[in-house]
Amino acid sequence: MFIEVSFVALNMVEIAVLLKQVPDTNAKIAILGGRVDESAVTSWVTSPYDEYALEAALQHIEAAGGSITAITLGPDRADKVLKDAAALGVTKLVRIWGDGWEDLDSNQVQFALVDAVRASGAELVYCGKQSADRNQGSTGPGVAEMLGAACVVEVSEFDASSSSYVRPASSGSEKVTVSSPAVITFSKTESDLRRPNVRGIMMSKKAQIDLVSSDVGSSQVNFNGDSSPAEKPPGKTFQGSDCIPEVVGLLRDEAKVL
Amino acid sequence: MEITIIAETQENNLHSVTRQLVGAATSLGASPTILCANGIGADEAAGISGVGKVVSVNGDCFTTFDGGAWATAFDAAAGEGVIMGAATAQGRDVVSRIAARRGIPVVQDVVALSEGIKMTHPIYSGKAMQDVTVAGDCAMTLRANIFSAADDGGSAESSIVQQSGDVKIAVQEAIAKASERLDVTDADIIISGGRGMGGPENFDKLYSIADGLGAAVGASRAAVDAWDEIPHNMQVGQTGKTVNPSLYIAVGISGAIQHLAGMRTSKFIVAINKDPEAPIFKIADYGIVSTWEEALPVLASEIANLQ
Amino acid sequence: MSQTSCRLFKGEDMVYEALDFYDVDSQLSEEEIMVRDMVRDWVDAEVLPKIEHACRDGVFPDEWRVALGEMGVLGAPLDGYGCPGLSYVAYGVICRELERGDSGLRSFASVQGSLAMYPIWDFGSEEQKNKYLPKMASGDLIGCFGLTEPDYGSNPGGMITKAEDKGDHYILNGAKMWITNGTISDLAIVWAKLDGVIRGFIVETGDEGYSAPEMKGKHSLKASVTSELVFQDCKIPKDRILPGVKGLKGPFSCLNNARYGISWGALGAAQACFHSAKEYTLSRIQFDVPIASYQLIQNKLAWMLREITKGQLLALELGKKKDDGSWIPEHISLAKMNNVDIALEIARMARDMHGANGILDEYCIMRHMANLESVKTYEGTHDIHNLILGRHITGIQSFTRSE
Ligand SMILES: Cc1cc2nc3c(=O)[nH]c(=O)nc-3n(C[C@H](O)[C@H](O)[C@H](O)COP(=O)(O)OP(=O)(O)OC[C@H]3O[C@@H](n4cnc5c(N)ncnc54)[C@H](O)[C@@H]3O)c2cc1C
Ligand SMILES: Cc1cc2nc3c(=O)[nH]c(=O)nc-3n(C[C@H](O)[C@H](O)[C@H](O)COP(=O)(O)OP(=O)(O)OC[C@H]3O[C@@H](n4cnc5c(N)ncnc54)[C@H](O)[C@@H]3O)c2cc1C
């Protein structure tokens, strides 16, 4: 009995998973009064890459023992992502929010998250490589920097038994290990995301969400406004294969997709 | 304004995006300093027009990618002002860490830049654009192939500094690119063939172009139904996969409504079809009236030229 | 290449958008919404890609049984003994989301939960509850419900299947017909007359003299197993009688719950047909414009919207009554009858709007349409529910001429 306990204790990990609530990625994004109209969003979901981070954390805990703290920064409605995580078995839930926090800059966001990560005692932080709304990809590395932690970005595979991660490399990919504390940002992994079940959903009803705030200072970024992307020019038709160099040039310089 | 550029490299050379970073920096009136990890590309960088200084940052840490270690080294070598990098996975990592070290904001994937400093970047995967202004120092990464590249013609002074950082990431094993074909739902570029391809063997032409682009190969249902070699998981359309890539190239596909249902929301659509009346041309951004036999070889070589 | 990945993003217009004109789902609790999303996501990922295949092969895929058990939705409103303990509203929502996939799938869940688990839960002994319910909730044991007989459908009271008390065991003789899940089930709740009184018995697969051959050739509910149950001197132990109920009240209590679920389920099928009709008519061009721009088509779509909305309000209100106990069986008759009726009419209309494409298995509508024909018949035919309401209004029964 004693041996078993100490064995578990040696491997136990504390993982903080950062989850962001975003509009359903299938939703149309409308602009109202120069900003994205959030009130038109009917369905809010956990940012897809964050779901892979959570799945990896759950696998990690299953293999090594330990616990997960799910952390989100967002208004009231963001409780939903924590409840969804609770339905999958996460027991510690933290939401961070403060007055007038609608337009935080990258530093403020990272600062608030770092406070919560520290409070959780986690030595590993799992998050998505970027959020589906702002698409920035600054949060993972920025949080790592503030924590004095290493950061492996865009991980596509996680092996719980060896605690190794696969990340992109110039010639394919590479398997890496990292000393803790560390932040891992996930892209889509091969893992199937687990589904909740009714028992988990009932548990999540009872789960307690800690609401915290931080003194994040003031924003150094001015948000001037959002706009719809430039209308695509009407389609053009070209005759014969001679025009292909021109089309490839347009794809590169005008469409900017090559 | 002081701007420091973190050079983006590719193997042992400068990556072409580095010249675009210089172009963007000079458009703000700066003579940027370029930092080159272990001096890679330093000579070429010194010859780019508009560059103020080139600093080779030499350190042990640069043999393995570790954003934290690299940021430590670059941060020590960089001056005040603006830190600029390319919006690649590594660029975003390093630049956001430098920003966090310095307590300055970072804006990633910038596609428009002007004095002030005003930046525009896509949000919601390009469904909207956001304009921001930063008054003081900041960090940014720029999207490739948006800003015009600076030409040769400079002769910046070069120097070397020794700076490194603690590497906390250890590479255990290199994994070669999987030879498996990319799935259409995972790809940012898709090239699809239809019945007009004539036979499954001709899909090899599509595969070789796809390999050059990191693209996936898709198919219309007529192709999937006609040829056993084209499996159903390649089918795009109402009863196949729904895809939403940046670029969709339809070759020998007429553009039936059920096919369009699966690819209509692609950001850019190119169609190659010999029939000028083919409905696919109605939704194509660039329609090429040609047989694939004539078009694909030219397309392949043009794409090869891009790299 | 651009940095923003597209991989996780489906096309905007291909997503199932559940019609909910009055935002009825905003009245659901947080927990009910989570259950809805869980089932809806599962149907999208695991049912819709496989349903046509299952229908063609005439099988109920076993993996669906496993998944329903893992999700923990079987016997949804039952409490204790490993059962989910959800509200009746949640049970309705589950039925709706399952039937959006296929009525056969919902039938499986209805039979398991309301017709097999429920009688054990309500009328079974403590031993029976402990023995069967946890494994039925987890999907490890499947149950079926044998009431209808070849000669007694709408009039189950006339059943001829009978049980005899042989001292230390019972002997069953007779046959049941049209029994959902029969062949794949591990136990059957069989209603039979013991000394002229209808009683419930638990028959296990493997009991001597019991067999459950599958009925083939259905044009409807093809992904659901329908069977005959045959009892030839079938010998079962004494402890397999349900001690808690006598008479038609037993089967009718089960049917009340199943019918309630159907009143929600049919809306799922209707919503799927509406969704397909809307998408199709917006994209189908005839005489140079989308057919959705013609008044005749819009009239049909508006009618569908109207009936679905009314049906949703009906189902939710009934669900609240089930939860607070203020319901009467006639409330359920009204909802089952109305919602199946409009769903079938919507499916037929949608079939028409799809033109020739409407007959293909590429679209869900003809499948839903054919399924709903069964749903209209089972659990009390449409007209039997009219008679139930007629009796309620007038106080005069009209089921039979002789009293
Ligand atoms: C319910 C239903 C669901 C369906 N689902 C799908 C689906 O998911 N996906 C799908 O794709 N289809 C689907 N279809 C089929 C669809 O209607 C079309 O039949 C199919 O897309 C046609 O494929 P195609 O364009 O390759 O062939 P065609 O329509 O035969 O077109 C071939 C094209 O190739 C061109 N061509 C011929 N030779 C050459 C050449 N040498 N060089 C260049 N061009 C050439 C021709 O001009 C022509 O435009 C579905 C149909 C139904 C009824
Ligand atoms: C796919 C499927 C699955 C089923 N699963 C089960 C199951 O799991 N368990 C089970 O026990 N049963 C099951 N049933 C049987 C179902 O409950 C019966 O079919 C139903 O009760 C009707 O009985 P019947 O088919 O004998 O029709 P009948 O009772 O013969 O009815 C035929 C017609 O006569 C009408 N009618 C009957 N009586 C009257 C009256 N008094 N006044 C006016 N009209 C009347 C009916 O409305 C109907 O239109 C299933 C049926 C189907 C099709």
Side-chain angles (χ1 to χ4, degrees), chain C residues 16 44 47 63 74 89 95 117 135 142 148 154 158 172 174 177 208 233 238 263 272 279 300 320 343 346 378:
Chain C
Y16 170 64
D44 274 330
V47 177
E63 62 191 78
L74 296 171
V89 168
C95 289
M117 292 171 72
K135 287 195 169 151
I142 304 196
T148 305
S154 297
L172 294 182
M177 187 94 151
E208 203 182 311
D233 290 330
K238 271 312 236 313
S263 73
E279 294 294 312
K300 292 187 172 87
K320 291 180 183 166
I346 285 167
Y378 69 28

Side-chain angles (χ1 to χ4, degrees), chain C residues 76-77 86-96 109-110 113-114 257-258 260-261:
Chain C
L86 292 168
S87 64
Y88 270 95
V89 168
Y91 172 55
V93 169
I94 291 166
C95 289
R96 184 185 75 191
S110 289
S114 291
N257 279 340
Y260 161 72

Side-chain angles (χ1 to χ4, degrees), chain C residues 261-272:
Chain C
I262 292 170
S263 73
W264 282 81
L267 294 172
Q271 285 169 304

Side-chain angles (χ1 to χ4, degrees), chain B:
Chain B
M1 183 191 327
E2 205 176 335
I3 297 184
T4 304
I5 291 173
I6 314 286
E8 184 78 16
T9 58
Q10 192 173 32
E11 279 156 27
N12 281 320
N13 299 300
L14 274 194
H15 188 288
S16 56
V17 69
T18 310
R19 286 175 177 272
Q20 298 162 13
L21 301 180
V22 175
T26 52
S27 76
L28 292 178
S31 309
T33 300
I34 303 190
L35 304 185
C36 295
N38 274 351
I40 294 173
D43 290 346
E44 186 187 342
I48 301 175
S49 150
V51 173
K53 276 189 289 186
V54 174
V55 180
S56 296
V57 183
N58 291 0
D60 297 340
C61 68
F62 290 114
T63 50
T64 302
F65 179 68
D66 179 332
W70 289 30
T72 308
F74 284 134
D75 180 45
E80 307 273 282
V82 174
I83 306 290
M84 187 185 275
T88 56
Q90 296 193 355
R92 289 186 193 220
D93 183 357
V94 172
V95 168
S96 46
R97 291 194 73 130
I98 297 175
R101 281 178 89 84
R102 297 184 168 199
I104 59 175
V106 57
V107 181
Q108 309 263 24
D109 205 22
V110 171
V111 294
L113 184 64
S114 59
E115 273 166 67
I117 297 170
K118 276 190 168 163
M119 291 169 266
T120 304
H121 66 93
I123 52 178
Y124 299 96
S125 316
K127 289 183 200 169
M129 310 299 286
Q130 183 160 70
D131 283 334
V132 299
T133 311
V134 180
D137 293 353
C138 69
M140 66 178 82
T141 60
L142 309 189
R143 183 178 279 205
N145 301 329
I146 298 284
F147 297 92
S148 33
D151 290 329
D152 280 339
S155 55
E157 71 176 78
S158 291
S159 59
I160 297 177
V161 298
Q162 300 291 331
Q163 289 292 350
S164 196
D166 290 343
V167 174
K168 295 173 181 167
I169 298 173
V171 176
Q172 306 296 337
E173 189 188 335
I175 302 168
K177 252 199 188 93
S179 55
E180 263 174 58
R181 298 279 172 200
L182 209 73
D183 190 83
V184 285
T185 50
D186 282 342
D188 202 38
I189 300 183
I190 297 169
I191 179 162
S192 287
R195 179 148 47 200
M197 290 301 292
E201 63 285 355
N202 297 325
F203 272 65
D204 287 349
K205 310 259 185 329
L206 303 179
Y207 280 118
S208 68
I209 293 175
D211 289 346
L213 286 171
V217 176
S220 73
R221 172 146 144 203
V224 171
D225 285 352
W227 305 310
D228 290 344
E229 293 84 347
I230 313 293
H232 181 260
N233 65 13
M234 285 170 63
Q235 183 179 320
V236 171
Q238 181 185 309
T239 43
K241 305 266 175 66
T242 303
V243 300
N244 187 20
S246 298
L247 174 60
Y248 188 89
I249 308 176
V251 186
I253 292 178
S254 60
I257 193 152
Q258 295 90 354
H259 188 78
L260 303 188
M263 42 68 75
R264 192 167 36 198
T265 55
S266 304
K267 292 202 185 70
F268 273 85
I269 297 168
V270 173
I272 299 175
N273 196 304
K274 68 175 186 185
D275 173 9
E277 302 296 319
I280 189 82
F281 288 129
K282 291 208 187 100
I283 65 150
D285 297 288
Y286 303 119
I288 300 168
V289 182
S290 163
T291 64
W292 62 262
E293 288 91 334
E294 278 181 34
L296 291 184
V298 191
L299 183 64
S301 72
E302 283 300 311
I303 284 169
N305 286 344
L306 279 182
Q307 257 93 51

Side-chain angles (χ1 to χ4, degrees), chain C residues 169-234:
Chain C
H169 64 271
Y170 294 108
I171 291 286
L172 294 182
N173 272 297
K176 297 288 176 181
M177 187 94 151
W178 300 108
I179 307 308
T180 304
N181 292 355
T183 312
I184 57 169
S185 65
D186 302 284
L187 59 130
I189 304 297
V190 178
W191 303 95
K193 283 182 178 159
L194 177 67
D195 301 326
V197 180
I198 294 174
R199 299 294 303 259
F201 297 89
I202 303 172
V203 178
E204 293 187 7
T205 306
D207 280 342
E208 203 182 311
Y210 168 57
S211 60
E214 188 169 349
M215 298 174 64
K216 294 284 186 186
K218 298 202 301 291
H219 276 304
S220 170
L221 289 186
K222 289 179 159 197
S224 167
V225 173
T226 312
S227 317
E228 249 179 288
L229 307 184
V230 183
F231 311 95
Q232 286 172 318
D233 290 330
C234 170

Side-chain angles (χ1 to χ4, degrees), chain C residues 248-262:
Chain C
L248 274 176
K249 174 177 180 282
F252 282 174
S253 323
C254 305
L255 293 173
N256 276 332
N257 279 340
R259 290 166 179 172
Y260 161 72
I262 292 170

Side-chain angles (χ1 to χ4, degrees), chain C residues 97-112:
Chain C
E97 295 305 322
L98 292 177
E99 195 147 357
R100 198 258 303 184
D102 190 73
S103 303
L105 173 62
R106 200 267 309 131
S107 298
F108 176 92
S110 289
V111 168
Q112 174 80 349

